[in-house]
Coordinates of all heavy atoms in Angstrom, one line a residue:
M1 N -12.0 -8.0 3.3 CA -10.7 -8.7 3.1 C -10.0 -8.7 4.5 O -10.1 -7.7 5.2 CB -9.8 -8.0 2.0 CG -8.4 -8.6 1.9 SD -7.4 -7.9 0.6 CE -8.4 -7.9 -0.9
D2 N -9.3 -9.8 4.8 CA -8.5 -9.8 6.1 C -7.0 -9.9 5.7 O -6.6 -9.9 4.5 CB -8.9 -11.0 6.9 CG -8.7 -12.3 6.2 OD1 -7.9 -12.4 5.2 OD2 -9.3 -13.3 6.6
R3 N -6.2 -9.7 6.7 CA -4.8 -9.6 6.5 C -4.2 -10.9 5.8 O -3.4 -10.8 5.0 CB -4.1 -9.4 7.9 CG -4.3 -8.1 8.5 CD -3.5 -7.8 9.7 NE -3.9 -6.6 10.4 CZ -3.2 -5.9 11.2 NH1 -2.0 -6.3 11.5 NH2 -3.7 -4.8 11.8
A4 N -4.7 -12.1 6.2 CA -4.2 -13.3 5.6 C -4.5 -13.3 4.1 O -3.6 -13.7 3.3 CB -4.8 -14.6 6.4
T5 N -5.6 -13.0 3.8 CA -6.0 -12.9 2.4 C -5.1 -11.9 1.6 O -4.7 -12.1 0.5 CB -7.5 -12.6 2.2 OG1 -8.3 -13.6 2.9 CG2 -7.9 -12.5 0.8
A6 N -5.0 -10.8 2.2 CA -4.1 -9.7 1.5 C -2.7 -10.2 1.3 O -2.1 -10.0 0.3 CB -4.1 -8.5 2.4
K7 N -2.1 -10.8 2.3 CA -0.8 -11.4 2.1 C -0.7 -12.6 1.1 O 0.2 -12.5 0.3 CB -0.3 -12.0 3.5 CG 0.2 -11.0 4.5 CD 0.7 -11.7 5.8 CE 1.3 -10.7 6.6 NZ 1.9 -11.3 7.9
E8 N -1.7 -13.3 1.0 CA -1.8 -14.3 0.0 C -1.8 -13.7 -1.3 O -1.2 -14.1 -2.4 CB -3.0 -15.3 0.1 CG -3.0 -16.2 1.3 CD -4.3 -16.9 1.6 OE1 -5.2 -16.8 0.7 OE2 -4.4 -17.5 2.6
I9 N -2.7 -12.6 -1.6 CA -2.7 -11.9 -2.9 C -1.3 -11.3 -3.2 O -0.9 -11.4 -4.4 CB -3.8 -10.8 -2.9 CG1 -5.2 -11.5 -2.8 CG2 -3.7 -10.0 -4.1 CD1 -6.3 -10.5 -2.5
I10 N -0.7 -10.7 -2.3 CA 0.6 -10.0 -2.5 C 1.6 -11.1 -3.0 O 2.3 -10.8 -4.0 CB 1.1 -9.3 -1.2 CG1 0.1 -8.1 -0.9 CG2 2.6 -9.0 -1.3 CD1 0.4 -7.5 0.4
A11 N 1.7 -12.2 -2.3 CA 2.6 -13.3 -2.8 C 2.2 -13.9 -4.1 O 3.1 -14.0 -5.0 CB 2.6 -14.5 -1.7
A12 N 0.9 -14.2 -4.3 CA 0.5 -14.9 -5.5 C 0.7 -14.0 -6.8 O 1.0 -14.5 -7.9 CB -0.9 -15.3 -5.4
E13 N 0.4 -12.8 -6.6 CA 0.6 -11.8 -7.8 C 1.9 -11.2 -7.9 O 2.1 -10.4 -8.8 CB -0.6 -10.7 -7.7 CG -2.0 -11.4 -7.7 CD -3.0 -10.3 -7.7 OE1 -2.8 -9.1 -8.0 OE2 -4.2 -10.6 -7.5
G14 N 2.8 -11.4 -7.0 CA 4.1 -10.8 -7.0 C 4.1 -9.3 -6.9 O 4.8 -8.6 -7.6
L15 N 3.3 -8.9 -6.0 CA 3.1 -7.4 -5.8 C 4.4 -6.8 -4.9 O 4.6 -7.3 -3.9 CB 1.8 -7.1 -5.1 CG 0.6 -7.5 -5.8 CD1 -0.7 -7.2 -5.1 CD2 0.5 -6.9 -7.2
E16 N 5.0 -6.0 -5.6 CA 6.3 -5.5 -5.0 C 6.1 -4.2 -4.2 O 5.1 -3.5 -4.4 CB 7.4 -5.2 -6.0 CG 7.7 -6.5 -6.9 CD 8.7 -6.0 -8.1 OE1 9.3 -5.1 -8.0 OE2 8.6 -6.7 -9.1
R17 N 7.0 -3.9 -3.5 CA 7.2 -2.6 -2.8 C 6.0 -2.4 -1.7 O 5.5 -1.2 -1.6 CB 7.3 -1.5 -3.7 CG 8.5 -1.6 -4.6 CD 8.7 -0.5 -5.5 NE 9.7 -0.9 -6.5 CZ 10.1 0.0 -7.5 NH1 9.6 1.2 -7.6 NH2 10.9 -0.4 -8.4
A18 N 5.5 -3.4 -1.1 CA 4.5 -3.4 -0.2 C 5.1 -3.1 1.2 O 5.9 -3.8 1.6 CB 3.6 -4.7 -0.2
V19 N 4.6 -2.1 1.9 CA 5.1 -1.7 3.3 C 4.0 -2.1 4.1 O 2.9 -1.5 4.1 CB 5.5 -0.2 3.5 CG1 6.0 0.1 4.7 CG2 6.5 0.2 2.3
W20 N 4.2 -3.2 4.8 CA 3.1 -3.8 5.6 C 2.9 -3.3 7.1 O 3.9 -3.5 7.9 CB 3.4 -5.4 5.7 CG 2.3 -6.1 6.3 CD1 2.4 -6.7 7.6 CD2 1.1 -6.6 5.7 NE1 1.2 -7.5 7.8 CE2 0.4 -7.3 6.7 CE3 0.4 -6.2 4.6 CZ2 -0.9 -7.8 6.4 CZ3 -0.9 -6.8 4.2 CH2 -1.4 -7.7 5.2
F21 N 2.0 -2.6 7.4 CA 1.7 -2.1 8.6 C 2.7 -1.3 9.4 O 3.1 -1.6 10.5 CB 1.0 -3.1 9.5 CG -0.4 -3.5 9.2 CD1 -0.7 -4.4 8.2 CD2 -1.4 -2.6 9.7 CE1 -2.0 -4.6 7.9 CE2 -2.8 -2.8 9.3 CZ -3.0 -3.9 8.3
Q22 N 3.5 -0.4 8.6 CA 4.4 0.4 9.1 C 4.5 1.7 8.3 O 4.1 1.6 7.1 CB 5.8 -0.1 9.3 CG 6.4 -0.6 8.1 CD 7.8 -1.3 8.2 OE1 8.1 -1.5 9.5 NE2 8.5 -1.6 7.3
Q23 N 4.9 2.8 8.7 CA 5.0 4.0 7.9 C 6.1 3.7 6.9 O 7.1 3.1 7.2 CB 5.3 5.2 8.7 CG 4.0 5.6 9.5 CD 4.2 6.9 10.4 OE1 5.1 7.1 11.0 NE2 3.2 7.8 10.2
P24 N 6.0 4.3 5.7 CA 7.0 4.0 4.7 C 8.2 5.0 4.6 O 8.7 5.4 3.6 CB 6.2 4.3 3.4 CG 5.2 5.3 3.7 CD 4.8 5.1 5.3
T25 N 8.7 5.3 5.8 CA 9.8 6.2 5.9 C 11.1 5.8 5.2 O 11.5 4.6 5.4 CB 10.2 6.3 7.5 OG1 9.0 6.7 8.2 CG2 11.3 7.4 7.7
G26 N 11.5 6.5 4.2 CA 12.6 6.2 3.4 C 12.4 5.2 2.3 O 13.4 4.7 1.8
K27 N 11.2 4.8 2.0 CA 10.9 3.9 1.0 C 10.2 4.6 -0.3 O 9.1 4.9 -0.3 CB 9.9 2.8 1.6 CG 10.5 2.3 2.8 CD 10.2 0.7 2.7 CE 10.5 0.0 4.1 NZ 11.7 -0.1 4.6
P28 N 11.0 4.8 -1.3 CA 10.5 5.4 -2.4 C 9.6 4.5 -3.4 O 9.9 3.3 -3.3 CB 11.7 5.9 -3.3 CG 12.8 4.9 -2.8 CD 12.5 4.6 -1.3
D29 N 8.7 5.2 -4.1 CA 7.9 4.3 -4.9 C 7.3 3.1 -4.3 O 7.5 2.0 -4.8 CB 8.6 4.1 -6.3 CG 9.1 5.3 -6.9 OD1 8.2 6.2 -7.1 OD2 10.2 5.4 -7.5
A30 N 6.6 3.2 -3.2 CA 6.0 2.1 -2.4 C 4.5 2.5 -2.2 O 4.0 3.5 -2.4 CB 6.9 1.9 -1.2
V31 N 4.0 1.4 -1.6 CA 2.5 1.6 -1.1 C 2.5 1.0 0.3 O 3.3 0.0 0.6 CB 1.6 0.7 -2.0 CG1 0.1 0.9 -1.4 CG2 1.5 1.3 -3.4
A32 N 1.9 1.7 1.2 CA 2.0 1.3 2.7 C 0.6 1.4 3.3 O -0.3 2.2 2.7 CB 2.9 2.3 3.4
I33 N 0.5 0.5 4.3 CA -0.8 0.6 5.1 C -0.2 0.6 6.5 O 0.7 -0.2 6.9 CB -1.6 -0.6 4.8 CG1 -3.0 -0.5 5.6 CG2 -0.9 -2.0 5.0 CD1 -4.0 -1.5 5.3
Y34 N -0.8 1.4 7.3 CA -0.5 1.3 8.8 C -1.6 1.9 9.7 O -2.6 2.6 9.1 CB 0.8 2.2 9.0 CG 0.9 3.7 8.5 CD1 0.4 4.6 9.3 CD2 1.2 4.0 7.2 CE1 0.5 6.0 9.0 CE2 1.3 5.3 6.8 CZ 0.9 6.3 7.6 OH 0.9 7.6 7.3
E35 N -1.6 1.7 10.9 CA -2.6 2.1 11.8 C -2.3 3.6 12.2 O -1.2 4.0 12.5 CB -2.7 1.2 13.1 CG -3.1 -0.1 12.6 CD -3.3 -1.1 13.9 OE1 -3.9 -0.6 14.9 OE2 -2.8 -2.2 13.9
L36 N -3.4 4.3 12.4 CA -3.4 5.7 12.6 C -4.5 6.2 13.4 O -5.6 6.0 12.8 CB -3.0 6.6 11.4 CG -2.9 8.0 11.6 CD1 -1.6 8.4 12.3 CD2 -3.0 8.7 10.2
D37 N -4.4 6.7 14.6 CA -5.5 7.2 15.4 C -6.7 6.3 15.4 O -7.9 6.8 15.1 CB -5.9 8.7 14.8 CG -4.8 9.6 14.9 OD1 -4.0 9.5 15.9 OD2 -4.7 10.5 14.1
G38 N -6.5 5.0 15.6 CA -7.6 4.1 15.8 C -8.2 3.7 14.5 O -9.1 2.9 14.3
G39 N -7.6 4.1 13.3 CA -8.0 3.7 12.0 C -6.9 3.2 11.3 O -5.8 2.8 11.8
Y40 N -6.9 3.3 9.9 CA -6.0 2.8 9.1 C -5.7 3.8 8.0 O -6.6 4.4 7.5 CB -6.3 1.4 8.4 CG -6.7 0.4 9.5 CD1 -8.0 0.3 10.0 CD2 -5.7 -0.4 10.0 CE1 -8.2 -0.6 10.9 CE2 -6.0 -1.3 10.9 CZ -7.3 -1.4 11.4 OH -7.6 -2.3 12.3
R41 N -4.5 4.0 7.5 CA -4.0 4.9 6.5 C -3.3 4.1 5.4 O -2.4 3.2 5.7 CB -3.1 6.0 7.0 CG -2.6 6.8 5.8 CD -1.9 8.1 6.4 NE -3.1 9.0 6.7 CZ -2.9 10.2 7.2 NH1 -1.7 10.6 7.6 NH2 -4.0 11.0 7.6
V42 N -3.7 4.3 4.1 CA -3.1 3.7 2.9 C -2.5 4.9 2.2 O -3.2 5.9 1.8 CB -4.2 2.9 2.2 CG1 -3.4 2.3 0.9 CG2 -4.8 1.9 3.0
V43 N -1.2 4.8 1.8 CA -0.5 5.8 1.1 C 0.4 5.3 0.0 O 0.8 4.0 0.1 CB 0.3 6.7 1.9 CG1 -0.5 7.5 3.0 CG2 1.4 6.1 2.6
S44 N 0.7 6.0 -1.0 CA 1.7 5.7 -1.9 C 2.8 6.7 -1.5 O 2.7 7.7 -0.8 CB 1.4 6.0 -3.3 OG 0.3 5.1 -3.7
T45 N 4.1 6.4 -2.0 CA 5.2 7.3 -1.9 C 5.7 7.6 -3.2 O 5.7 6.8 -4.1 CB 6.3 6.7 -1.0 OG1 6.8 5.6 -1.5 CG2 5.9 6.5 0.4
D46 N 6.3 8.8 -3.4 CA 7.0 9.2 -4.7 C 8.4 8.8 -4.7 O 8.9 8.1 -3.8 CB 6.7 10.6 -4.9 CG 7.4 11.6 -3.9 OD1 8.2 11.1 -3.1 OD2 7.1 12.8 -4.0
E47 N 9.1 9.2 -5.7 CA 10.5 8.9 -5.9 C 11.4 9.4 -4.9 O 12.6 8.9 -4.6 CB 11.0 9.3 -7.2 CG 11.1 10.8 -7.4 CD 9.8 11.5 -7.8 OE1 8.7 10.8 -8.0 OE2 9.7 12.8 -7.9
R48 N 10.9 10.4 -4.1 CA 11.7 10.9 -2.8 C 11.2 10.4 -1.6 O 11.6 10.9 -0.5 CB 11.6 12.4 -2.8 CG 12.1 13.1 -4.2 CD 11.7 14.6 -4.2 NE 10.3 14.6 -4.3 CZ 9.4 15.7 -4.0 NH1 10.0 16.7 -3.5 NH2 8.2 15.5 -4.2
A49 N 10.3 9.3 -1.6 CA 9.8 8.7 -0.5 C 8.8 9.5 0.3 O 8.7 9.4 1.5 CB 10.9 8.1 0.4
V50 N 8.1 10.6 -0.3 CA 7.3 11.4 0.4 C 5.9 10.8 0.2 O 5.5 10.3 -0.9 CB 7.3 12.8 -0.3 CG1 6.2 13.6 0.3 CG2 8.6 13.5 -0.1
E51 N 5.1 10.8 1.3 CA 3.8 10.1 1.2 C 2.9 11.0 0.4 O 2.8 12.3 0.5 CB 3.1 10.0 2.6 CG 3.7 9.0 3.5 CD 3.0 8.8 4.9 OE1 1.8 9.1 4.8 OE2 3.7 8.3 5.8
I52 N 2.2 10.4 -0.5 CA 1.2 11.1 -1.4 C -0.1 10.4 -1.3 O -0.2 9.1 -1.2 CB 1.7 11.2 -2.8 CG1 2.1 9.9 -3.5 CG2 2.9 12.1 -2.9 CD1 2.4 9.9 -4.9
G53 N -1.1 11.1 -1.5 CA -2.6 10.5 -1.6 C -3.0 9.8 -0.4 O -3.5 8.7 -0.5
P54 N -2.8 10.2 0.8 CA -3.2 9.5 2.0 C -4.8 9.2 1.9 O -5.5 10.1 1.5 CB -3.0 10.4 3.1 CG -2.8 11.7 2.6 CD -2.4 11.6 1.2
R55 N -5.1 8.0 2.3 CA -6.6 7.6 2.4 C -6.8 7.0 3.7 O -6.1 6.1 4.1 CB -6.9 6.7 1.3 CG -6.8 7.1 -0.1 CD -6.7 5.9 -1.2 NE -6.5 6.4 -2.5 CZ -5.4 6.7 -3.1 NH1 -4.3 6.6 -2.5 NH2 -5.5 7.1 -4.4
D56 N -7.7 7.5 4.6 CA -8.0 7.1 5.8 C -9.2 6.3 5.8 O -10.3 6.7 5.3 CB -8.0 8.2 6.8 CG -6.7 8.9 7.0 OD1 -5.7 8.3 6.9 OD2 -6.7 10.1 7.3
Y57 N -9.2 5.2 6.7 CA -10.3 4.1 6.8 C -10.5 3.8 8.3 O -9.5 3.7 9.0 CB -10.1 2.9 5.9 CG -9.8 3.2 4.6 CD1 -8.6 3.5 4.0 CD2 -11.0 3.1 3.6 CE1 -8.5 3.7 2.6 CE2 -10.8 3.4 2.4 CZ -9.6 3.6 1.9 OH -9.4 3.9 0.5
Q58 N -11.7 3.6 8.7 CA -12.1 3.1 9.9 C -12.1 1.7 9.9 O -11.8 0.9 10.9 CB -13.4 3.6 10.5 CG -13.3 5.1 10.9 CD -12.2 5.3 11.9 OE1 -12.2 4.8 12.9 NE2 -11.4 6.4 11.6
D59 N -12.4 1.0 8.7 CA -12.6 -0.4 8.5 C -11.3 -1.0 7.9 O -10.9 -0.5 6.8 CB -13.8 -0.7 7.7 CG -14.1 -2.2 7.5 OD1 -14.5 -2.8 8.5 OD2 -13.8 -2.6 6.4
E60 N -10.7 -2.0 8.6 CA -9.5 -2.6 8.1 C -9.7 -3.2 6.7 O -8.8 -3.1 5.9 CB -8.9 -3.6 9.1 CG -7.5 -4.1 8.7 CD -7.1 -5.2 9.7 OE1 -6.3 -4.7 10.6 OE2 -7.2 -6.4 9.6
S61 N -10.8 -3.9 6.5 CA -11.1 -4.5 5.3 C -11.1 -3.6 4.1 O -10.5 -3.9 3.0 CB -12.4 -5.3 5.4 OG -12.7 -5.9 4.1
D62 N -11.7 -2.5 4.3 CA -11.7 -1.4 3.2 C -10.2 -0.9 2.9 O -9.9 -0.7 1.7 CB -12.6 -0.3 3.6 CG -14.1 -0.6 3.7 OD1 -14.5 -1.6 3.1 OD2 -14.8 0.2 4.4
A63 N -9.5 -0.7 4.0 CA -8.1 -0.2 3.8 C -7.3 -1.3 3.0 O -6.5 -1.0 2.2 CB -7.5 0.1 5.2
L64 N -7.5 -2.5 3.4 CA -6.7 -3.6 2.7 C -7.1 -3.6 1.3 O -6.3 -4.0 0.4 CB -6.9 -5.0 3.4 CG -6.3 -5.1 4.8 CD1 -6.8 -6.3 5.5 CD2 -4.7 -5.1 4.5
E65 N -8.4 -3.5 0.9 CA -8.9 -3.5 -0.5 C -8.1 -2.4 -1.2 O -7.7 -2.7 -2.3 CB -10.3 -3.3 -0.5 CG -11.2 -4.5 0.0 CD -11.4 -5.6 -1.0 OE1 -10.9 -5.4 -2.2 OE2 -11.8 -6.6 -0.6
M66 N -8.1 -1.2 -0.7 CA -7.4 -0.2 -1.4 C -5.9 -0.4 -1.4 O -5.3 -0.1 -2.4 CB -7.7 1.2 -0.7 CG -6.9 2.5 -1.3 SD -7.3 2.6 -3.1 CE -8.9 3.1 -3.0
Y67 N -5.3 -1.0 -0.5 CA -3.9 -1.2 -0.4 C -3.5 -2.3 -1.6 O -2.6 -2.0 -2.3 CB -3.6 -1.9 0.9 CG -2.1 -2.3 1.2 CD1 -1.1 -1.4 1.2 CD2 -1.9 -3.6 1.4 CE1 0.1 -1.8 1.5 CE2 -0.5 -4.0 1.7 CZ 0.5 -3.1 1.7 OH 1.7 -3.5 2.0
I68 N -4.3 -3.3 -1.7 CA -4.1 -4.3 -2.8 C -4.4 -3.5 -4.2 O -3.6 -3.7 -5.2 CB -5.0 -5.4 -2.7 CG1 -4.7 -6.2 -1.4 CG2 -5.0 -6.2 -4.0 CD1 -3.3 -6.9 -1.5
T69 N -5.4 -2.7 -4.3 CA -5.5 -2.0 -5.6 C -4.4 -1.1 -6.0 O -3.9 -1.1 -7.1 CB -6.8 -1.0 -5.5 OG1 -8.0 -1.9 -5.2 CG2 -7.0 -0.2 -6.7
L70 N -3.8 -0.3 -4.9 CA -2.6 0.5 -5.3 C -1.4 -0.4 -5.6 O -0.7 0.2 -6.4 CB -2.4 1.5 -4.1 CG -3.6 2.5 -3.8 CD1 -3.2 3.4 -2.6 CD2 -3.7 3.4 -5.0
L71 N -1.2 -1.4 -4.9 CA -0.2 -2.2 -5.2 C -0.2 -2.8 -6.7 O 0.8 -2.9 -7.5 CB 0.0 -3.5 -4.3 CG 0.5 -3.1 -2.9 CD1 0.4 -4.3 -1.9 CD2 2.0 -2.6 -3.0
R72 N -1.4 -3.2 -7.1 CA -1.6 -3.7 -8.5 C -1.3 -2.6 -9.5 O -0.7 -2.7 -10.6 CB -3.0 -4.2 -8.7 CG -3.3 -5.5 -8.0 CD -4.7 -5.9 -8.0 NE -4.9 -7.3 -7.6 CZ -6.0 -7.8 -7.0 NH1 -7.1 -7.0 -6.9 NH2 -6.1 -9.0 -6.6
D73 N -1.8 -1.3 -9.1 CA -1.4 -0.2 -10.0 C -0.1 0.1 -10.2 O 0.5 0.3 -11.1 CB -2.2 1.2 -9.4 CG -3.7 1.0 -9.6 OD1 -4.2 0.2 -10.3 OD2 -4.4 1.9 -9.0
L74 N 0.7 0.0 -9.0 CA 2.1 0.2 -9.0 C 2.8 -0.9 -9.8 O 3.7 -0.6 -10.5 CB 2.6 0.1 -7.5 CG 4.1 0.3 -7.4 CD1 4.7 1.7 -8.0 CD2 4.5 0.2 -5.9
K75 N 2.4 -2.1 -9.7 CA 3.0 -3.2 -10.5 C 2.9 -2.9 -12.0 O 3.8 -3.1 -12.8 CB 2.2 -4.5 -10.2 CG 2.8 -5.6 -10.9 CD 2.2 -7.0 -10.6 CE 2.8 -8.1 -11.4 NZ 2.2 -9.5 -11.0
E76 N 1.6 -2.4 -12.4 CA 1.5 -2.0 -13.8 C 2.5 -0.8 -14.1 O 3.0 -0.8 -15.3 CB 0.0 -1.6 -14.2 CG -0.9 -2.7 -14.1 CD -2.4 -2.4 -14.4 OE1 -2.5 -1.2 -15.0 OE2 -3.3 -3.0 -13.9
L77 N 2.7 0.2 -13.3 CA 3.5 1.3 -13.6 C 5.0 0.8 -13.7 O 5.7 1.3 -14.5 CB 3.4 2.3 -12.5 CG 2.1 3.0 -12.5 CD1 2.1 4.0 -11.3 CD2 2.0 3.9 -13.8
I78 N 5.4 -0.2 -12.9 CA 6.8 -0.7 -13.0 C 6.9 -1.5 -14.3 O 7.9 -1.3 -14.9 CB 7.0 -1.7 -11.7 CG1 7.1 -0.9 -10.5 CG2 8.3 -2.5 -11.9 CD1 7.0 -1.7 -9.2
A79 N 5.9 -2.3 -14.6 CA 6.0 -3.1 -15.9 C 6.1 -2.2 -17.1 O 6.7 -2.5 -18.1 CB 4.8 -4.1 -15.9
S80 N 5.4 -1.1 -17.1 CA 5.4 -0.1 -18.2 C 6.6 0.8 -18.3 O 6.8 1.3 -19.2 CB 4.1 0.7 -18.2 OG 4.2 1.6 -17.2
G81 N 7.4 0.7 -17.3 CA 8.5 1.5 -17.2 C 8.4 3.0 -16.6 O 9.4 3.7 -16.6
V82 N 7.2 3.3 -16.2 CA 6.9 4.6 -15.7 C 7.7 4.8 -14.4 O 8.2 5.8 -14.1 CB 5.4 4.9 -15.6 CG1 5.1 6.2 -14.9 CG2 4.7 4.9 -17.0
V83 N 7.7 3.7 -13.6 CA 8.2 3.6 -12.4 C 9.4 2.7 -12.4 O 9.2 1.6 -12.9 CB 7.4 3.3 -11.2 CG1 8.1 3.1 -9.8 CG2 6.3 4.4 -11.0
R84 N 10.6 3.0 -11.8 CA 11.7 2.0 -11.9 C 11.9 1.3 -10.5 O 11.6 1.8 -9.5 CB 12.9 2.7 -12.4 CG 12.8 3.3 -13.8 CD 13.9 4.0 -14.1 NE 13.8 4.6 -15.4 CZ 14.7 4.8 -16.2 NH1 15.9 4.3 -16.1 NH2 14.4 5.3 -17.4

């Protein structure tokens, strides 16, 4: 997956709380992707905006795949009322 495709999916599916290529500082209940040490990190944040479940990748395509997966999961949690 490339960045353009990921952006299209985010828009088409209405995926919320996506933090695009920056650290999610101060962003609660979000999913972020950012560059780190020559690779990519994908994380979720909790209700206190603390990074949880960091996943590191060397390949941008793999990182973007996980990013979209986590955003879809978050969308389901929001729809079910588990996350507000």
Side-chain angles (χ1 to χ4, degrees):
M1 178 178 304
D2 60 20
R3 291 184 189 202
T5 302
K7 283 184 173 183
E8 288 173 10
I9 292 169
I10 291 167
E13 296 184 20
L15 300 176
E16 301 176 24
R17 304 182 192 182
V19 181
W20 187 256
F21 284 92
Q22 63 182 5
Q23 290 185 312
T25 306
K27 305 225 190 282
D29 298 317
V31 178
I33 185 171
Y34 57 91
E35 294 184 48
L36 180 70
D37 297 328
Y40 303 90
R41 176 165 282 178
V42 179
V43 298
S44 297
T45 62
D46 66 12
E47 68 279 356
R48 296 167 298 156
V50 174
E51 288 188 23
I52 54 175
R55 296 161 178 88
D56 294 329
Y57 299 89
Q58 290 301 311
D59 183 69
E60 184 178 273
S61 179
D62 292 341
L64 287 167
E65 290 281 348
M66 179 53 68
Y67 181 62
I68 294 298
T69 297
L70 292 176
L71 284 170
R72 287 174 173 152
D73 290 347
L74 179 58
K75 182 178 181 177
E76 289 182 23
L77 291 172
I78 292 168
S80 69
V82 172
V83 173
R84 296 178 190 217

